[in-house]
Every structure is written in structure tokens, then in C-alpha cells.
């Protein structure tokens, strides 16, 4: 369904349209919220708030972007404000913690075992994905979100820029750093000669 | 041909496919390290793209504005309203005529009786129609809410 038609139905208070709206945007909102917020209860409250705010501010939506991008922006800023309020936007501190380093080492070792296996069968692919998922969650919330938006949701730099409010150049730069960090994280135990 | 290793930016761009590989063909032919780096990134990107979609795992409560359906007053059409008024007036006249005929003639009493009968029938018809319409309205609202409750779970 076209965005305009969906917005019209939502403004007419059609419950079926709200269900469709949630269904269409669930993936994007979930990626943002799950990557940025660790606490399950807080996630639930935030998701409710995001949809409530989206519905309230819907009459102000001017179709300058896709409806999903607009909602993504609401989701991102809701999570960002939550993290700011809780003073959780300190990725370096988290990554420097000793227990986190131990966790990363375990992940990296397992990834090397998995990656160096020449016969990448279904099980190892699945394991690789699990390792990758764990590694992504070790990144700072913003880096993890950018990775999710670009690689899972396949959004363009421009769309990510609209969602996050960051300039396009900054998005590219952060994504470059995030990818590098992710690779380093997974391959920190690789022998140089193996590369 | 480029002799030094490719930069991290170039490796990422080649892995993403946003950079033309031909530009670095000479170097990549003999540099295993750069080729491995590109392959590593490609493996990571492929695995990232294949991650299963995350779902909320719970239902979203719709805003109250949606769930609270206003029960509007029964719409009464103009002809029905006119008919109702006419019936009321006829009935009033019939009652008045009947009261007056008690002291005068029997013929008037009969005619007045007919009027009363017809008016009563019209009134009954109107009442039945109103009740049917009201029930239909309530049923539609209930179905609307039920559809929403079942439709929102996924």
C-alpha cells in the first residue's frame, strides 16, 4: 500500500491500517531499538512510545521521506534520548571493560575456528551468524545501529542520514569505523600469516 | 601497478562492490593479504545480510484514539421523522375525536377507532425499524473491535 493511502487510513482511525503500519515498520524499528537498548522492559516501553508518538505526530508528516524512514527517525531519537538520559552513550568505556574483553576473545576464537573451516556447511554458517550477532552487540549502540540499517535493512546513506540526523559524510565515516571494528573484533586472534 | 597494500577504505569499498576492482587488478593478482582482507569483509557482509529479521515479540497497543470508537446517535432519516410526527399528530387527533364522540355519535367513534389503529400500527413499525437499526449499529461496532483485536496480533 502507498504511504499516502496508509496515512489517510491511519488518520481516519482505521484499526486495520494501524496493524499494517506496525507490520510494515516492525523490522526497521526493531533493528534500531534492539541494537540501541539492552533492557527488554525498556525496549517494550520505548516501542510503545514510538508508535504512540508516530500516531500523534502523523498529521505533521509531509511526505518528504518514506513513512518508514520518518518512523525510523522517531525510533532512533527516542532511543538516543533514552541512552543520553541514562548516560549510557559511553561506548569506549564499555568496550574497555575487562569482562567485555574476555567475552570478545571468546567470540574471536570461535569465529576463527568457524571461519578457517574450509567446508562452510549450514551449521557453521548458522554459527557464524550467531557469532556475528554477538559481535555486533559488542559495538557501541550507534555503530551497531548503523551496521543494522545499512547491512540488514539495506538503507542508503541518505536514508540513514535522515533517520539519525547525522550528515551523510559522518554516516559513511562511522560505518567505515564500525565495519573495521567489527572485523578486528572477529579476527583479533587470527595469525598474521593466515590473512 | 600499486605496490603498497590497499588502504582499509579501498578494501571495504571493493568488498562492498562500490569500487571498481579493475583499478587494483595488478596489485590484487599478486597480493594474497589484500585479497584475504577483501574476502573476510565479504564473508562478514554476506553473513550480516543473512541475519534473521528481529521481531518485537509482543503486540503493540494501538493508541486510545483508535480503540475508542464513538457510539454515534442513531441517524434518523427525514421521511421517517416526518412519518413519526404525522403518526403522533394523527394519534392525538384520534384520541381527541374519540373523547369528543363519547357524547355525540357512534359513527365518529368508529372512524376515530380506525385512525387510532392505523396510527398505532405506524408507530409500532417505526419502533421496530429503530430497534433493528440500533442492533445493526452495535453489531458493526463489535465486529470492528473484534477484527482489530485479532488483526493486531502477529
Amino acid at each position: 500500500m502507498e504511504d499516502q493511502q496508509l496515512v489517510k487510513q491511519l488518520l481516519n482511525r482505521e484499526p486495520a491500517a494501524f496493524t499494517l503500519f506496525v507490520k510494515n515498520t516492525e523490522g526497521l524499528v526493531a533493528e534500531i531499538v534492539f541494537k540501541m537498548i539492552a533492557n527488554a522492559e525498556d525496549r517494550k516501553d520505548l516501542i510503545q512510545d514510538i508508535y504512540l508518538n508516530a500516531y500523534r505526530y502523523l498529521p505533521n508528516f509531509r511526505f518528504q521521506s518514506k513513512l518508514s524512514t520518518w518512523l525510523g527517525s522517531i525510533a532512533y531519537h527516542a532511543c538516543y534520548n533514552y541512552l543520553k538520559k541514562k548516560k549510557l552513550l559511553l561506548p569506549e568505556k564499555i568496550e574497555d571493560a575487562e569482562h567485555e574483553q574476555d567475552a570478545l576473545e571468546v567470540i574471536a576464537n570461535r569465529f576463527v575456528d568457524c571461519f578457517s573451516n574450509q567446508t562452510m556447511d549450514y551449521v557453521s554458517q548458522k554459527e557464524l551468524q550467531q557469532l556475528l550477532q554477538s559481535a555486533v552487540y559488542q559495538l557501541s549502540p550507534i555503530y551497531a545501529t548503523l551496521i543494522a540499517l545499512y547491512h540488514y535493512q539495506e538503507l542508503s546513506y541518505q536514508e540513514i542520514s535522515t533517520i539519525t540526523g547525522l550528515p551523510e559524510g559522518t554516516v559513511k565515516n562511522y560505518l567505515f569505523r564500525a565495519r573495521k571494528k567489527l572485523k578486528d573484533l572477529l579476527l583479533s586472534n587470527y595469525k598474521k600469516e593466515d590473512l | 601497478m600499486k605496490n603498497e597494500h590497499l588502504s582499509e577504505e579501498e578494501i571495504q569499498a571493493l568488498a562492498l562492490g562500490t569500487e571498481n576492482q579493475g583499478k587494483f587488478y595488478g596489485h590484487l593478482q599478486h597480493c594474497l593479504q589484500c585479497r584475504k582482507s577483501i574476502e573476510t569483509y565479504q564473508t562478514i557482509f554476506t553473513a550480516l545480510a543473512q541475519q534473521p529479521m528481529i521481531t518485537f515479540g509482543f503486540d503493540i497497543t494501538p493508541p486510545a484514539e483508535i480503540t475508542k470508537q464513538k457510539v454515534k446517535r442513531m441517524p434518523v432519516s427525514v421521511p421517517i421523522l416526518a412519518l413519526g410526527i404525522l403518526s403522533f399528530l394523527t394519534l392525538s387527533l384520534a384520541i381527541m375525536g374519540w373523547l369528543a364522540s363519547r357524547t355525540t355519535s357512534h359513527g365518529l367513534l368508529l372512524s376515530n377507532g380506525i385512525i387510532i389503529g392505523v396510527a398505532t400500527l405506524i408507530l409500532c413499525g417505526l419502533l421496530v425499524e429503530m430497534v433493528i437499526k440500533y442492533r445493526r449499529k452495535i453489531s458493526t461496532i463489535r465486529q470492528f473491535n473484534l477484527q482489530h483485536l485479532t488483526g493486531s496480533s502477529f
Side-chain angles (χ1 to χ4, degrees):
Chain A
M1 189 190 287
E2 290 284 319
D3 276 356
Q4 285 188 337
Q5 204 181 341
L6 185 61
V7 169
K8 196 178 170 186
Q9 289 183 1
L10 280 166
L11 292 174
N12 285 338
R13 301 180 180 184
E14 290 183 26
F18 185 79
T19 308
L20 186 66
F21 178 49
V22 173
K23 201 176 171 183
N24 287 351
T25 53
E26 184 181 12
L28 177 67
V29 174
E31 285 296 352
I32 294 170
V33 177
F34 278 65
K35 292 292 177 297
M36 293 184 85
I37 312 295
N39 185 291
E41 277 304 306
D42 291 345
R43 275 203 298 250
K44 198 174 173 179
D45 292 344
L46 266 169
I47 289 168
Q48 287 285 4
D49 284 351
I50 288 163
Y51 279 99
L52 190 68
N53 283 332
Y55 187 76
R56 281 185 184 158
Y57 295 113
L58 199 62
N60 300 335
F61 179 56
R62 294 283 172 264
F63 300 97
Q64 287 167 340
S65 64
K66 281 197 279 183
L67 184 63
S68 58
T69 308
W70 177 75
L71 183 70
S73 175
I74 293 176
Y76 178 85
H77 287 98
C79 294
Y80 187 88
N81 290 336
Y82 167 89
L83 292 173
K84 208 172 166 185
K85 199 175 165 186
K86 298 261 178 183
K87 294 178 181 171
L88 291 173
L89 276 172
L90 302 163
E92 298 308 321
K93 271 192 182 177
I94 293 166
E95 283 165 19
D96 286 345
E98 204 174 316
H99 68 280
E100 292 291 342
Q101 281 298 326
D102 292 343
L104 295 186
E105 213 163 290
V106 172
I107 290 167
N109 278 327
R110 287 178 63 198
F111 183 75
V112 170
D113 292 342
C114 184
F115 192 70
S116 53
N117 186 355
Q118 293 300 310
T119 56
M120 279 275 197
D121 57 10
Y122 174 74
V123 178
S124 64
Q125 278 287 351
K126 203 174 173 184
E127 197 180 0
L128 171 68
Q129 285 193 352
Q130 284 174 348
L131 296 174
L132 201 58
Q133 204 172 8
S134 310
V136 169
Y137 279 106
Q138 302 298 322
L139 295 172
S140 75
I142 292 170
Y143 281 2
T145 307
L146 293 181
I147 288 278
L149 294 178
Y150 189 85
H151 291 281
Y152 303 158
Q153 293 293 317
E154 296 178 345
L155 298 183
S156 65
Y157 290 120
Q158 197 188 352
E159 283 173 314
I160 298 173
S161 170
T162 308
I163 287 174
T164 57
L166 296 168
E168 218 172 298
T170 310
V171 170
K172 282 181 188 172
N173 188 22
Y174 279 11
L175 263 169
F176 165 73
R177 286 193 220 168
R179 290 182 196 120
K180 189 176 183 304
K181 209 156 196 163
L182 190 64
K183 190 195 85 170
D184 292 346
L185 215 107
L186 291 164
L187 302 181
S188 58
N189 281 17
Y190 245 131
K191 289 176 190 171
K192 285 279 175 191
E193 57 266 29
D194 286 344
L195 292 169
Chain B
M1 187 178 74
K2 198 175 177 181
N3 285 322
E4 68 267 26
H5 289 302
L6 303 182
S7 69
E8 198 69 25
E9 286 94 336
E10 287 167 338
I11 287 169
Q12 279 195 17
L14 285 168
L16 284 167
T18 53
E19 185 74 76
N20 183 13
Q21 204 156 354
K23 194 175 157 187
F24 308 100
Y25 183 75
H27 176 77
L28 287 171
Q29 270 217 315
H30 76 268
C31 185
L32 182 68
Q33 188 178 327
C34 287
R35 281 207 310 269
K36 276 267 181 189
S37 291
I38 295 168
E39 279 171 24
T40 306
Y41 269 121
Q42 281 173 339
T43 307
I44 293 170
F45 296 158
T46 307
L48 278 172
Q50 288 171 351
Q51 291 281 312
M53 194 188 107
I54 305 173
T55 52
F56 296 145
F58 61 90
D59 290 343
I60 307 292
T61 313
E65 293 91 327
I66 285 182
T67 49
K68 278 181 190 170
Q69 293 295 325
K70 283 182 186 174
V71 182
K72 290 175 188 171
R73 285 184 180 180
M74 280 187 300
V76 182
S77 61
V78 177
I80 290 174
L81 192 69
L83 194 64
I85 292 167
L86 191 68
S87 305
F88 178 75
L89 289 172
T90 315
L91 187 64
S92 307
L93 283 170
I95 291 167
M96 283 168 70
W98 176 67
L99 287 171
S101 69
R102 285 176 75 184
T103 51
T104 54
S105 69
H106 293 286
L108 191 63
L109 182 65
L110 185 67
S111 65
N112 283 341
I114 292 165
I115 291 169
I116 289 168
V118 169
T120 311
L121 278 173
I122 290 169
L123 272 177
C124 287
L126 282 172
L127 274 170
V128 168
E129 196 184 341
M130 283 167 84
V131 168
I132 289 168
K133 275 195 171 179
Y134 179 74
R135 282 187 178 170
R136 269 186 202 158
K137 190 84 185 169
I138 292 292
S139 167
T140 312
I141 290 167
R142 278 183 186 157
Q143 274 179 0
F144 207 49
N145 288 336
L146 191 68
Q147 185 193 355
H148 167 68
L149 285 170
T150 51
S152 63
S153 58
F154 50 86

